[in-house]
Amino acid sequence: MDFESEVNVKNAAQNIKFAQPSISRKPLELLRDTEALLRRPTVTTLAPILPPKISNNLQMASSLAEESLKELAEIDLEQISDWELRPARIRVGLSFVGFGALMIVLLLLYLNSLHPELTPVEQIGKYWYQYVWFVCLGVAGMFILGREAMRPTKNLQKPNKR
């Protein structure tokens, strides 16, 4: 008995044609449409059962989101240069460092005010997981800032305005 297939699998795999999207959409348009498909039915479902004041606020927030995402979808991501993204990258790095430091200070304040009986070694031993998360967040921010500081500035020249 011969159980081998008579169909040549290699040729069959080469003959498969996959459907190609007819319209290529930008990522921000996909975001707008996906968010709208989730938001609109939710608002129409919740609006009748909420108190009138909250329902009006929900509908106003929904219309504001609609307008904001419409403006956002008009942005062409290909036109944004590294020079224009530099301040955002610096702010994100500073936010990571600042938030990590703030959370370590709040953790120390919590431990010293609510658990004064623990020695610093016992505090770190008991709450090491939180320490590690907050330190890693600060280190990630330092990496972002260091990468931005080492980025060559000759490639980041401000684009000429026409």
Side-chain angles (χ1 to χ4, degrees), residues 23 54 73 80 82 97 116 119 153 159:
I23 301 172
I54 296 175
I80 300 174
D82 275 345
V97 171
T119 64
T153 56

Side-chain angles (χ1 to χ4, degrees), residues 43-52 55:
V43 170
T44 56
T45 303
L46 290 177
I49 61 174
L50 291 174
S55 176

Side-chain angles (χ1 to χ4, degrees), residues 94-150:
L94 289 173
S95 297
F96 277 29
V97 171
F99 187 75
L102 176 68
M103 292 311 294
I104 287 175
V105 168
L106 289 177
L107 180 63
L108 291 174
L109 179 66
Y110 167 78
L111 291 174
N112 287 331
S113 62
L114 296 179
H115 299 290
E117 71 278 358
L118 297 176
T119 64
V121 173
E122 291 172 334
Q123 290 174 351
I124 292 174
K126 189 172 181 180
Y127 293 95
W128 68 271
Y129 194 77
Q130 289 83 359
Y131 277 111
V132 169
W133 270 104
F134 301 145
V135 168
C136 286
L137 191 63
V139 169
M142 292 301 290
F143 271 109
I144 293 171
L145 292 173
R147 181 177 179 262
E148 198 57 38
M150 292 188 300

Side-chain angles (χ1 to χ4, degrees), residues 9-28:
V9 177
K10 191 173 187 179
N11 289 338
Q14 291 173 351
N15 293 334
I16 295 175
K17 297 190 184 205
F18 292 101
Q20 296 296 325
S22 59
I23 301 172
S24 68
R25 295 171 44 183
K26 296 188 289 186
L28 294 175

Side-chain angles (χ1 to χ4, degrees), residues 53-100:
K53 186 176 181 180
I54 296 175
S55 176
N56 289 339
N57 287 343
L58 180 66
Q59 290 173 349
M60 285 184 357
S62 177
S63 63
L64 182 64
E66 187 82 33
E67 294 169 9
S68 302
L69 288 169
K70 183 180 177 185
E71 290 175 15
L72 186 66
E74 294 172 0
I75 295 173
D76 186 14
L77 295 177
E78 300 299 322
Q79 298 298 323
I80 300 174
S81 67
D82 275 345
W83 178 261
E84 293 168 327
L85 290 176
R86 187 174 191 167
R89 287 191 295 259
I90 291 172
R91 286 188 192 116
V92 167
L94 289 173
S95 297
F96 277 29
V97 171
F99 187 75

